[in-house]
Amino acid sequence: MTSVDIDYYRAFDDNDDCGITEREVLGRGRDLQQFDDSTVALAETRVRQSGILEQLDRWAAEDAKRDGMGGRPAMISYRALLTALLLLAQEGAPLHIRRAAYVLQHRLSTKSSDLLDLPETPTSFATHVATTKRWYTNTIRAFHRMKTLMDPYPQELYTAKTHTQIQEILRNHDAERAEKYKARLDEYTRLFIRMTFMLQPREVRRASKQMDLSFDQTYIGTPTTKGYSRKHLASKVKAEKGADFGEVSPGPVDAFAGWHVKSGKAERVDNQKGEVDQTAPERGKSGDYDWGWVANLAVRVDAEQPSSKRFPSLVVAASLSIPNMEVAEEAAHLLEAAAMLDLAPGVADADKQYWANAKPFRLLKPALKTGFTPSTDYRSDRVGVKGGQHGALFVEGDAYCPSTPKPLLNATPDRLGDVIDVATHRARIEERKAFQLHVKDKAKTPDGKVMLRCPALGASPTVTCPLREMMLSAAKKARPEVEPETLEEEFLDTICKKHSAAFDLTEMQAPQQAFAYGTEEWETFHDHARNTVESGNHQLKASGDADIETAGRRRVRGIAAAQILVTLLIAAHNIRKIAAFFSDREIERARTTPRVHTIRRRDRVWANRYTKTTGNGDLSIPRGGRASSLTNTPPGQPSELALTPMRT
């Protein structure tokens, strides 16, 4: 910038109070107000306490191809970069790399710069163009250096591709490497979320002894919006053959994204690893599609006291993935990450996209192995009797006696068909519990199966059956009876002939749940869990603080870059939730605490016949009440207040 230009801006400062300032020119109109030293130190401490810096060093050492002296030290460290980005996230600003560079260059005091080991920046206004460019270049290099350590889908992301180039990128994709680096990316997210979870005091973290959660998917936009269909990719490539390069229309930039079905008649799918996603907008079919990614989020809920607010509903696990791909597996990874927060796994609630659709080996078995118990609604085609084992019947997550009355077995189908009302449905569900098979002592077998027995056996039978002799120690009370005509010897199976049988409950179409399906207890928790996760999604996507959906607030391309930045937005969201939780607690405490009326100073200090205060400074004397120190007057004579002289 020439001296003439400098004089021009100085002229604004000298002659007009509202003119463009030199600082505004340096920031190109952006706010360059410095962060407080304590705020910077706090953000830097949280980055260090997350443990991600040590993890990045381990990954860098693992990826190093050879030993050597290396190049010169980086100007911007991972610690400084992540601190700057976390400061922006907590401020509610877009997570642009240029803004992070401005933070490091302009918005830190000398003390904060020394804390982050940043080089001294020239303060000369005449050299700010070259200096600003150098800070931006070093900052974005630091970001890409960090991203490379955990990018499962490396590719060139600066230019649009032809469909032939997209096909080549997909063909050369290393699936084994992608799995390794995806685990790194998820570990990065897990460490930051764990850091925010541990910011809660111990009594809040452990208000419940178990980790109950609700999980879901939500759409995340990409900086580039032009997509492609894997279903039609081969035909597109064929059409491009023989055409000159200049005649080919520019295609998508990112090969590793997908079409997310937001609404319409199109169905969401869950492809397994190795399958090709066929989802794509089709002409003549109604449906709302968006090109991008999905965020998998798990939010903490309360299964013991759903209506209480014992702890903030934090995001306890998160990841990003390609739409329609490995939805069940991503959910299983969320449960594994949440189980590492030092609380016993509890109830995991989800909508019909998960437990009701996924095959047991993809989600149910990994969840049970981790320690979580499902909670979900069932699809209408999976209620009522759906198979069984050893003669017992599988009905909505539980195994029942084969002689259970049919009206009880068909309670839910009848409710969905408006044959019965809600009250009757719940009454039949409650009555059906008596026919549910009992878990035997030492239930779990080495192969993961469960030992169940007839409900008419044991010390606490719930039904009576002509085939079973009741123990003498059983309580004498009325129990439902199994009708003899329902028992035909030639059709009796293991559960009616032997003392117990081994059941694989993961083979049920409708998985077993934490609460009996259809009961008021189940409905209360399920509504609470779904409302909590949907509210969390809305808060994270709402314009303002986080806004994780809008790609314009995080312009770096690629799913790895998106997850790095979205993780910091989630961390800032959790910090705000914790702060709001304690703020609400203080507001409620102030509202419910009885107000103490303080006596006015003039009534405490001065004697006053009208207010009947003695002026002795006694705060226990209520306003308008009589003084505690009265003169000793004989009986029958009027008493007088012992008043101190008025001060003059």
Side-chain angles (χ1 to χ4, degrees):
M1 182 173 289
T2 65
S3 59
V4 176
D5 295 330
I6 296 174
D7 292 339
Y8 172 76
Y9 291 112
R10 285 177 178 169
F12 271 99
D13 290 338
D14 295 338
N15 299 329
D16 194 343
D17 291 338
C18 62
I20 300 298
T21 65
E22 183 176 302
R23 192 167 184 80
E24 286 178 314
V25 175
L26 288 172
R28 300 178 67 84
R30 296 181 179 87
D31 179 23
L32 294 185
Q33 182 179 359
Q34 286 192 350
F35 285 102
D36 183 78
D37 288 339
S38 60
T39 303
V40 178
L42 182 60
E44 188 269 346
T45 301
R46 287 170 175 170
V47 169
R48 284 191 291 105
Q49 288 183 342
S50 69
I52 189 57
L53 300 178
E54 294 81 3
Q55 196 65 268
L56 290 171
D57 290 340
R58 282 192 286 269
W59 293 337
E62 184 181 333
D63 291 349
K65 296 181 180 179
R66 56 188 173 86
D67 296 330
M69 296 296 293
R72 63 181 182 180
M75 176 181 169
I76 308 295
S77 65
Y78 299 143
R79 180 168 61 95
L81 173 66
L82 289 171
T83 300
L85 290 171
L86 185 57
L87 287 170
L88 288 174
Q90 291 186 251
E91 189 181 45
L95 296 193
H96 299 162
I97 304 302
R98 190 173 298 278
R99 285 181 179 265
Y102 281 147
V103 169
L104 299 175
Q105 181 184 0
H106 296 293
R107 303 187 63 186
L108 302 179
S109 67
T110 302
K111 181 179 179 181
S112 295
S113 296
D114 292 341
L115 174 67
L116 299 178
D117 296 324
L118 296 174
E120 185 178 355
T121 179
T123 57
S124 173
F125 184 75
T127 61
H128 85 279
V129 175
T131 304
T132 300
K133 183 177 180 180
R134 185 163 59 251
W135 275 90
Y136 170 73
T137 300
N138 283 286
T139 304
I140 199 168
R141 283 177 179 172
F143 182 85
H144 285 299
R145 206 166 51 242
M146 180 176 65
K147 186 192 74 167
T148 302
L149 297 175
M150 42 187 169
D151 188 356
Y153 307 109
Q155 65 159 107
E156 187 273 316
L157 291 167
Y158 294 103
T159 59
K161 315 286 189 299
T162 64
H163 289 89
T164 304
Q165 292 172 324
I166 291 291
Q167 186 184 60
E168 192 65 20
I169 291 173
L170 295 177
R171 185 176 296 156
N172 295 329
H173 176 60
D174 188 344
E176 185 176 345
R177 179 194 178 279
E179 187 173 351
K180 173 183 176 181
Y181 280 69
K182 178 69 164 60
R184 288 183 178 183
L185 192 60
D186 291 344
E187 177 67 6
Y188 162 88
T189 301
R190 186 190 72 81
L191 289 174
F192 265 104
I193 290 178
R194 177 180 175 82
M195 178 272 295
T196 62
F197 186 81
M198 299 305 291
L199 294 180
Q200 302 173 101
R202 181 186 180 93
E203 64 272 11
V204 176
R205 295 198 311 268
R206 301 193 175 185
S208 172
K209 295 182 179 180
Q210 64 184 29
M211 172 60 70
D212 305 308
L213 54 84
S214 182
F215 56 92
D216 202 357
Q217 274 192 345
T218 188
Y219 169 74
I220 296 293
T222 60
T224 57
T225 58
K226 191 166 186 178
Y228 70 96
S229 167
R230 289 173 175 81
K231 181 178 181 181
H232 304 299
L233 183 59
S235 61
K236 294 285 187 180
V237 171
K238 184 177 180 180
E240 288 178 352
K241 289 183 178 180
D244 293 335
F245 187 79
E247 298 175 355
V248 178
S249 301
V253 173
D254 198 335
F256 300 99
W259 293 107
H260 172 68
V261 180
K262 299 195 73 172
S263 62
K265 296 181 179 179
E267 294 184 2
R268 296 181 184 179
V269 296
D270 182 7
N271 297 293
Q272 299 184 49
K273 184 178 180 180
E275 294 181 345
V276 177
D277 181 27
Q278 302 289 326
T279 304
E282 298 284 351
R283 292 183 179 179
K285 292 185 178 181
S286 61
D288 186 10
Y289 297 82
D290 280 325
W291 177 256
W293 307 296
V294 287
N296 308 283
L297 302 171
V299 178
R300 189 180 185 188
V301 297
D302 196 341
E304 297 174 354
Q305 302 177 26
S307 59
S308 67
K309 296 181 180 179
R310 297 189 293 170
F311 46 77
S313 53
L314 303 184
V315 176
V316 293
S319 68
L320 260 64
S321 60
I322 298 174
N324 316 308
M325 293 300 301
E326 301 182 66
V327 178
E329 286 75 12
E330 288 292 337
H333 293 158
L334 291 181
L335 300 182
E336 292 174 4
M340 300 174 71
L341 291 175
D342 303 333
L343 291 175
V347 185
D349 186 89
D351 59 18
K352 296 179 183 179
Q353 184 182 5
Y354 292 95
W355 304 112
N357 276 334
K359 294 182 178 179
F361 75 90
R362 298 183 62 191
L363 178 56
L364 180 58
K365 289 186 176 181
L368 296 177
K369 184 177 180 181
T370 305
F372 282 96
T373 304
S375 172
T376 186
D377 198 357
Y378 293 131
R379 286 171 26 183
S380 58
D381 60 339
R382 294 189 178 182
V383 295
V385 179
K386 295 297 176 183
Q389 291 178 4
H390 307 301
L393 305 175
F394 286 161
V395 184
E396 296 152 21
D398 289 302
Y400 289 88
C401 168
S403 297
T404 305
K406 287 187 177 181
L408 305 184
L409 296 175
N410 296 328
T412 302
D414 288 346
R415 173 70 194 100
L416 295 178
D418 290 331
V419 177
I420 58 177
D421 57 17
V422 175
T424 305
H425 174 243
R426 287 184 175 170
R428 291 184 180 181
I429 292 292
E430 194 65 29
E431 186 180 351
R432 191 174 67 190
K433 289 182 180 180
F435 294 87
Q436 183 179 336
L437 301 191
H438 295 177
V439 177
K440 188 181 177 183
D441 292 339
K442 300 180 182 179
K444 292 189 176 179
T445 61
D447 58 359
K449 294 184 179 181
V450 178
M451 299 299 294
L452 301 179
R453 65 186 176 193
C454 170
L457 290 176
S460 301
T462 52
V463 298
T464 59
C465 178
L467 301 177
R468 303 294 191 181
E469 184 177 355
M470 187 175 297
M471 296 180 62
L472 295 177
S473 59
K476 302 298 187 289
K477 63 179 183 179
R479 296 178 178 86
E481 298 181 0
V482 174
E483 298 296 336
E485 56 268 20
T486 63
L487 303 173
E488 299 182 23
E489 184 66 28
E490 59 179 315
F491 296 110
L492 295 180
D493 209 327
T494 306
I495 196 63
C496 294
K497 293 181 178 180
K498 294 186 177 181
H499 193 269
S500 61
F503 286 79
D504 186 358
L505 299 183
T506 62
E507 296 301 324
M508 290 189 291
Q509 287 189 9
Q512 191 174 30
Q513 300 200 43
F515 306 105
Y517 177 72
T519 62
E520 185 175 0
E521 183 183 27
W522 171 87
E523 185 175 1
T524 299
F525 171 71
H526 183 65
D527 289 347
H528 156 70
R530 297 311 307 154
N531 291 339
T532 301
V533 72
E534 292 293 347
S535 175
N537 287 348
H538 177 74
Q539 292 172 20
L540 282 167
K541 296 174 70 173
S543 59
D545 293 324
D547 195 3
I548 64 174
E549 180 179 7
T550 304
R553 292 173 60 85
R554 37 173 180 80
R555 294 174 183 161
V556 189
R557 297 174 181 177
I559 189 172
Q563 183 162 336
I564 289 172
L565 298 179
V566 167
T567 295
L568 295 172
L569 293 172
I570 292 174
H573 167 79
N574 277 357
I575 292 171
R576 282 191 291 269
K577 293 283 285 187
I578 296 171
F581 172 79
F582 286 108
S583 175
D584 292 341
R585 176 179 285 186
E586 289 302 316
I587 292 173
E588 181 65 17
R589 183 177 299 162
R591 187 184 69 84
T592 57
T593 301
R595 183 178 177 182
V596 177
H597 294 279
T598 304
I599 301 176
R600 294 178 298 181
R601 179 181 179 275
R602 69 181 186 184
D603 294 335
R604 295 198 311 267
V605 175
W606 303 93
N608 191 309
R609 294 180 182 277
Y610 178 73
T611 60
K612 297 181 176 59
T613 53
T614 63
N616 61 2
D618 186 1
L619 298 181
S620 64
I621 302 175
R623 182 180 178 183
R626 295 185 62 82
S628 59
S629 56
L630 298 176
T631 58
N632 295 323
T633 57
Q637 296 185 10
S639 60
E640 295 181 357
L641 291 174
L643 300 178
T644 58
M646 298 288 287
R647 296 185 185 182
T648 58

